[in-house]
Amino acid sequence: MLVTAINNTNCTNYRVIVSGISVAFYEMTESNREEITKALVKYLKDFAAQLNTPICRKDIQSDSEWLSVNLGLFSTTADYSDLKELNISGVVVLDSLSAQQKAELILDPSSGALENETLVKEVMMGILSSSGKEQLDVFFETFVNITKEEQIYFIENAAVRDTILNVTLMALAPNFNIFSPSQFELWFQENLFVVLASFQPSWLLVIPRNLNCDSYTAIPPLQSQVTFGNVSAQLCNFSISQYACSSVAALSSRDLGKVMACKLTSSMNYSRAIWSLFFQKFAAPLDEALDAYSNMTLNISLPDPYVLDAIGEVKLNNFSNAQLTDSVFITKWFQTRLRPFLSSVSVDFLSCLSSKNFSCQTYQVVVEALSRQDQLMEEEQKWSIFTYFIYPFLSRDDLSDPSCVSSTSGSSDWLAKNFGNFSAYASLEELLILNIHFSSVSNIRLAQVALCRKDIQSDSEWLSVNLGLFSTTADYSDLKELNISGVVVLDSLSAQQKAELILDPSSGALENETLVKEVMMGILSSSGEEQLDVFFETFVNITKEEQIYFIENAAVRDTILNVTLMALAPNFNIFSPSQFELWFQENLFVVLASFQPSWLLVIPRNLNCDSYTAIPPLQSQVTFGNVSAQLCNFSISQYACSSVAALSSRDLGKVMACKLTSSMNYSRAIWSLFFQKFAAPLDEALDAYSNMTLNISLPDPYVLDAIGEVKLNNFSNAQLTDSVFITKWFQTRLRPFLSSVSVDFLSCLSSKNFSCQTYQVVVEALSRQDQLMEEEQKWSIFTYFIYPFLSRDDLSDPSCVSSTSGSSDWLAKNFGNFSAYASLEELLILNIHFSSVSNIRLAPVARGLWV
C-alpha cells in the first residue's frame, strides 16, 4: 500500500507521507519498521534525480536535513549500506545514526574512522550521552558481528583502540560489582576482544577484587601464570585470586605465611569465596602458617573481614567433638592462630560458633580470646558477639551445665567468665533469664550501660536516633569524641565529613585503597559532581593546613585521581580555564603524580592556551635539536602554547605534514595561535606542504579558517586584485585545505575586495577541489561566497558580466562547478541577459526547474 502511495508522487507529497508515518514509528513492530524503511529507501533510489533538483533541495542545507525530511525516524532502521548508496556521509549525519549504524560506520574502510581517533571518540561518547549502556550493547552486538565477518582480530591504530576501550570501560565500571561471570566473559572475550591490547594497569583499579574464579578467568588481562623460584620476594607479586585460581598446587607453610603477611597488610580486599578457595588449596600447611603469621602480628586493625569466615569454613567446621572440648587445642586456635582476625569477627562466624559443641571450659576460652581483642573492635562487633554468640550459646538447652553456671563461683565469676568484656550488652532481664540467681548490685552496674543502648545494634543506628539528620552537620572531631567510627557510619557521613575521614591519620584511610574507593564512589553515586565539589573544598583545606603535598600510598592516590577524572571527563568540553586550574592545580594537586597517559584521551584537544597551561600533565618544554623526527613528537597545542619562538619554513612544513595527516583535531583558536607564532615562515611552509599533498580528504576544518585569520585578513587591496598573487595563494598554498572550506571562511571571502579576475581565480581553485567536497560544502560555496560576491553593489563590473563573452562564459567563469546550486531566478537577478538554453546544460541539477 505504501509503495503505491509514494510511487510517482512529487517530493513535497512524499515528505508529507514520511512525516505522517513517522508519528507512529514507536508504536510499530520491528518488522513493520523494516518493511516501511525498505519501501522508502527504494523510492529514494528510484527517484534520486528528481530529489536532487533545486526545487526538491530548497531549504535543505545539509545531509542531516535531507535525511530528516526524506526518511524521518526510519533513517535509524535503514541499512548503513543504503545510506552510502544515497550519498549520505555517515560522518556528517553522525547524530542521526543509530547505535548499529555507528558500529558499521566505524568499521567501514571508506569512512576512515579506524584511523580517526577524534571521530571514534565522538561516536562512543555520543552513544553513552544519549542512551547509555543499552545502546552500548546494541553497538557492540553489531561491532562484534562485523569484526567476525571481516576477520578483524585487532584494531591496529593505537589511539583508536585506546579510545574504544577506555570510553567503554569508563561506562561499564560502575556496574562491575554486579557483573556475573558470563557478563565479564561477554565484554572481555567478545565485545572488547579486538581492542584488549590497549588494556592498561590503571584499569585494574575499577575491576572489583572480590571476583570468584569464574569471573576472574573470564578477564584475560587479570590472568597470569603464578610461577616463582626460590626468591621469596616473588611470592608477594601475585594476588590471592591468582593463587586461588591458578594451577599452583602447593606452598610450604613458610611461603604461605609470607603470602598472608604481605596480602593481609595490603589494602586489597577479596571475597569470602576467594579466601575459601585459597585456604582450601593450601589447607595442609595452614596451621603452621597461621602460627607464623600470629607471631608476626601483635596488634592489627581490621584486616579483610572475610579471612576469618574462610578459615572457619575450611578449618573450624571440621573440628571433631573431642577437639571442641579440648582446652589446649581451642586455646591454641583462638588465642594464637585466630587472634589476628578476631577483631573483625563477623555475624556469620559468631552464629556458626554458637552452634559448636564446646564445653563450658572451651567456650570460656573463646570468650576470653574475643575479650582480649575488644579494643580493636567496632561497637557493632562487640554488640554482635553478645547477640550472636554469647547469648545463643548460653541459652542452649543441650548444655551439660545450663548457662555454664555450676562451673563458676558466684555471680561475679559467672559474669566475668561467660561474658568477658561484653557484659555491658546484656540487659538485666537477659541475665536473669540465663541465671535466676544473678542478683548482686555490683554486677548490675556491669550491665547498666546496656539500658540506654537497648535495640541499638550499631553506630549507624546510634547516630540516627541521637543526632538524626544533624549528624551530617556535626564536626567530624565531635563524632570521634563520641566514639563513633567514621568507617562504620560511612553511608551517614556528609561529603565534608568523608574528606575529613580520609585525611584523619587515626582512620588509616590513606593506607586503605578499598575504603577510599568506597568513599569516592559513594559521593558520585549519591549526589554527583555537586558533592564532589564540597568534598574537595574540605580535602584541599585540610591538606594545606596539615601541609600534605603528596599522597604517598600509590593505590590510594590512583583511586582518588582515577575516580575523580572518571566523574569529570564528560564535562571537560565545557570547562573554562579557571575550572581546569581549580581541578588540576588545587583539588587534585596531591594525587597528580598518579596521572597516566591514558587519561589524555578524555581531555579535549581543542583547548585554548589558558586551559592548556592550567593542566600540568599536558605541559612539557618543547625543545629539540637537529633531528627532524623530533618535530612530530609535540602537538600543535604544545607548539602554540610553548616558549619556542621560531621554526624554519622547512621545519614548519614538516610539522604540518605530520600533524595534518594525523587524527588529532585542534580548535580554531589553537591553530590561529600556532600560525601567528610562526607567521614569518608560513608562506614557504605552505608551498612545501602543497607540493607534498596532491589529493587529500578533509583535513582539520579549522586550519583554513586560521590561515585566513592570520594571512588573508592582512592582504592589501593591491594584493587582492593581483592575479598572480591570488593564484599563488588559492591554487597552490591553500589548495590542500579548500575541500574543507567553512561557511565562516566563505562569508569572509565574499567581502574581500577582489577584482572580477581574481574572484574568478578563487572560483576556479575551489572548483578543482569539488570532487573532495561534501554536498553541503558545494552548496555553501554558492550560497555564502559566489552569490553574495556577485550581488555586491560596489563591484566596478556588476556581477562580473562585462568581463565575460556571453552567458556561457559568464556562467563558467563566475560559478565554476557550482552553477547547479543556482536557480534560474537567481541567475536572472544577477544577469538579466542570461537566456541561452545552451547555458542551462552548465547547471544540470537545476534543469528540472526550467527545461
Side-chain angles (χ1 to χ4, degrees), residues 430-450:
E430 288 167 325
L431 294 173
L432 289 170
I433 289 171
L434 293 172
N435 184 356
I436 57 173
H437 301 295
F438 183 85
S439 59
S440 170
V441 173
S442 61
N443 293 322
I444 292 174
R445 282 201 298 271
L446 293 174
Q448 63 185 359
V449 176

